[in-house]
Structure formats: structure tokens, C-alpha cells
């Protein structure tokens, strides 16, 4: 009886212990925590000019207090102290608005956000074991595309949460369906937001590294990154609200420390998801095959 050809043999399954060990070893080897700190710094630097630019743009829409509504929606995940810092910064900037500030704010926002996107790209390169071999104009163009795309998706997601709530109430009042539309929207909105976040992070995983990767609409790394980020954000927000003493420890910069820590968690889970994709073989270049688990 002939032996089964080696080419058709299925690789052994990746055991949970091996999976955890490879992911943890990859995080340490690729210095993902250091990369997360770098990304968080650039994100913090881009946040406040972005808020000012967004507030200036939303002022042209015929919706009262839209910026406040978006910050309130953002407060469902971001720690309240960080949201209060954003709100106070927007109020100070708007009350002191001068001609030309919008143009300067837009330029600074795009430049700082592209730096953050470039830092994410370099972190993804380290996770994949790649060296950046693309020309500067190409990496900067991809970083700009990622920054603008992420910003647009974030604003559309927040606006969608607020607009969908109002539409559901309007439909409930005028459609003769009672509270059903509101109940359906309350149940469906967060799964929809999570799906959009997974798709957005998968775009980062596909565009960021300096290699042509296999296209995936949904990857396990993006799912873990989104769910882990949501859980960590809610847990950190709960800790800050009930147990943290940042204001007593750091004084007036306590809110900045909270915001920076939350951004660090965001960057870390993005890189952790990329590491999971590499270990599971979902984030490899087209010419490579997933590594086999040891027998």
C-alpha cells in the first residue's frame, strides 16, 4: 500500500499553546510595544489640530451642536477625562478662531496624521519582518491615503450613530411601528460599527506593509484587534472613572496622560492583530505559505 504523498499531507493544527507562544514571542521580538508608543505620540500630536479642523467644517452643516454630539458618541468608548480634554480644547479654539486658522489646521492635521500612519506602516513592516523598500513618495502617499481614509471613516461612523438614532425615532413616530425601529437600531448599531472597524483595520494590514499581501475582507487578527481594543477601552475607561487618580498624580496634564494611554492601547492592538495574522498565515505575502506547527 503506497504512502500518501507528502505534497497532499495536511499540516498539523496549531495548538492554542503554540499559538499564544508564537504571538507573544513575535510581539517581543518585533518590539511592538515600542512601536505602539511611537504611534501614540504621533496620534496625540494629530488629535487637536484634527479636532479644530473638524469643528470648523461641521460649523457649516445645518445641525446644531453636531461636534458636541460626536464627542458624546465618542465618549462611549474613550475615557471621559480624555473626551472632556477634547471638548475644552475645541471650545477654546473656536472662541479664539482667527482667519487662516482653518487652512493651517488642515495642513498640520494632514501632516501629523500621515506621520502617525507612517509609524503604523513601519510597525507593520517589523511585524512582517520586512524592510521598507518603497520610494518616499509612495510611502508618504499611502500614509496620506490611510490617514484620510481613517479620519473619514471615523467621522462617518460617529455621524452614522447619531443620524441612525434620529432616523429610528422618526420611523417609530411616523411609520406606525411603535418602538420596533428604535429597538432594532439599538441592537444593530454596535455590530455594524464593529464590522466597519474590522474592515478598516484590514485595509491597514493590506496597504501598510512593504509587500503584496493576500487580500482578505476579514482576518482573525482584525477581529481580535477590534474586540480586544473595545474591551481594553471600556476596561480602561472604567478604571479611570472609578479607581484612577491621574489628576492627583499628574495634576493638570492627567487628561493628556489618559488620552495618550488610550492611544497606546489602540496602537498596540492594531500591531497585535497583525502579529496574529502572521502566525495564522493570514498576513503573509502571496509567494509564502503559512508556517507549519511543530509535531
Amino acid at each position: 500500500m503506497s504512502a500518501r504523498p507528502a505534497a497532499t499531507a495536511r499540516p498539523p493544527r496549531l495548538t492554542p499553546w503554540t499559538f499564544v507562544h508564537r504571538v507573544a514571542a513575535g510581539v517581543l521580538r518585533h518590539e511592538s510595544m515600542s512601536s505602539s508608543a511611537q504611534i501614540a505620540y504621533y496620534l496625540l500630536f494629530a488629535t487637536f489640530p484634527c479636532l479644530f479642523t473638524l469643528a470648523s467644517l461641521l460649523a457649516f452643516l445645518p445641525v446644531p451642536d453636531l461636534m458636541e454630539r460626536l464627542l458624546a458618541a465618542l465618549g462611549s468608548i474613550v475615557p471621559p477625562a480624555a473626551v472632556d480634554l477634547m471638548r475644552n480644547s475645541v471650545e477654546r479654539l473656536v472662541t479664539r478662531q482667527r482667519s487662516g486658522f482653518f487652512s493651517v489646521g488642515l495642513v498640520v492635521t494632514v501632516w501629523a496624521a500621515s506621520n502617525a500612519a507612517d509609524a503604523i506602516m513601519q510597525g507593520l513592516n517589523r511585524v512582517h519582518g520586512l524592510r521598507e523598500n518603497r520610494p518616499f513618495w509612495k510611502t508618504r502617499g499611502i500614509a496620506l491615503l490611510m490617514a484620510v481614509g481613517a479620519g473619514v471613516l471615523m467621522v462617518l461612523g460617529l455621524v452614522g450613530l447619531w443620524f441612525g438614532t434620529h432616523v429610528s425615532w422618526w420611523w417609530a413616530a411616523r411609520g406606525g411601528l411603535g418602538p420596533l425601529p428604535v429597538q432594532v437600531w439599538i441592537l444593530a448599531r454596535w455590530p455594524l460599527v464593529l464590522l466597519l472597524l474590522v474592515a478598516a483595520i484590514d485595509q491597514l494590514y493590506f496597504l501598510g506593509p512593504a509587500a503584496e499581501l493576500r487580500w482578505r475582507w476579514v482576518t482573525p487578527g482584525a477581529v481580535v484587534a477590534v474586540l480586544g481594543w473595545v474591551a481594553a477601552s471600556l476596561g480602561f475607561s472604567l478604571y479611570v472613572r472609578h479607581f484612577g487618580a491621574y489628576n492627583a498624580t499628574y495634576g493638570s496634564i492627567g487628561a493628556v496622560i489618559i488620552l495618550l494611554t488610550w492611544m497606546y492601547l489602540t496602537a498596540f492592538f492594531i500591531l497585535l492583530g497583525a502579529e496574529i495574522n502572521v502566525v495564522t498565515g493570514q498576513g503573509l505575502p502571496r509567494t509564502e505559505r503559512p508556517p507549519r506547527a511543530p509535531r
Side-chain angles (χ1 to χ4, degrees), residues 151-175:
V152 170
L153 286 175
M154 180 187 70
V155 174
L156 288 179
L158 293 176
V159 172
L161 286 177
W162 170 79
F163 185 71
T165 301
H166 282 264
V167 169
S168 65
W169 279 107
W170 177 87
W171 193 13
R174 303 199 177 186

Side-chain angles (χ1 to χ4, degrees), residues 195-214:
L195 287 176
L196 291 176
L197 286 175
V198 170
I201 291 183
D202 271 324
Q203 300 309 305
L204 296 181
Y205 294 160
F206 180 74
L207 295 174
E212 187 178 358
L213 303 182
R214 297 183 181 93

Side-chain angles (χ1 to χ4, degrees), residues 23-106:
V23 171
V27 167
L28 296 176
R29 183 171 63 254
H30 301 136
E31 300 180 347
S32 295
M33 289 178 284
S34 299
S35 298
S36 300
Q38 180 185 13
I39 296 168
Y41 169 79
Y42 284 119
L43 287 175
L44 180 67
F45 188 77
T47 295
F48 297 101
C50 178
L51 288 173
F52 172 68
T53 305
L54 182 60
S56 301
L57 285 175
L58 296 180
F60 293 100
L61 298 179
V63 180
D65 299 327
L66 182 55
M67 188 66 190
E68 175 62 29
R69 297 173 189 269
L70 295 183
L71 289 175
L74 189 63
S76 59
I77 293 181
V78 182
V83 176
D84 291 339
L85 175 64
M86 297 179 188
R87 183 181 293 108
N88 295 335
S89 300
V90 169
E91 291 176 354
R92 287 196 299 268
L93 288 170
V94 171
T95 55
R96 300 178 183 178
Q97 185 174 355
R98 299 292 186 273
S99 60
F101 272 23
F102 172 74
S103 301
V104 174
L106 181 61

Side-chain angles (χ1 to χ4, degrees), residues 183-241:
Q183 294 172 355
V184 171
W185 172 249
I186 291 175
L187 293 175
R189 59 178 179 174
W190 290 116
L192 179 61
V193 169
L194 293 178
L195 287 176
L196 291 176
L197 286 175
V198 170
I201 291 183
D202 271 324
Q203 300 309 305
L204 296 181
Y205 294 160
F206 180 74
L207 295 174
E212 187 178 358
L213 303 182
R214 297 183 181 93
W215 174 263
R216 296 287 189 274
W217 281 105
V218 177
T219 60
V223 174
V224 173
V226 169
L227 296 180
W229 171 73
V230 170
S233 298
L234 294 177
F236 181 60
S237 179
L238 182 66
Y239 169 77
V240 170
R241 182 176 302 175

Side-chain angles (χ1 to χ4, degrees), residues 82-148:
V83 176
D84 291 339
L85 175 64
M86 297 179 188
R87 183 181 293 108
N88 295 335
S89 300
V90 169
E91 291 176 354
R92 287 196 299 268
L93 288 170
V94 171
T95 55
R96 300 178 183 178
Q97 185 174 355
R98 299 292 186 273
S99 60
F101 272 23
F102 172 74
S103 301
V104 174
L106 181 61
V107 172
V108 174
T109 298
V110 172
W111 174 72
S114 65
N115 285 338
D118 184 72
I120 293 175
M121 293 166 60
Q122 302 313 315
L124 292 176
N125 281 337
R126 283 189 282 271
V127 169
H128 288 272
L130 301 171
R131 285 192 174 186
E132 186 57 72
N133 54 8
R134 295 168 291 189
F136 173 80
W137 63 266
K138 187 172 183 179
T139 57
R140 185 55 59 169
I142 294 175
L144 287 171
L145 178 64
M146 291 168 57
V148 173

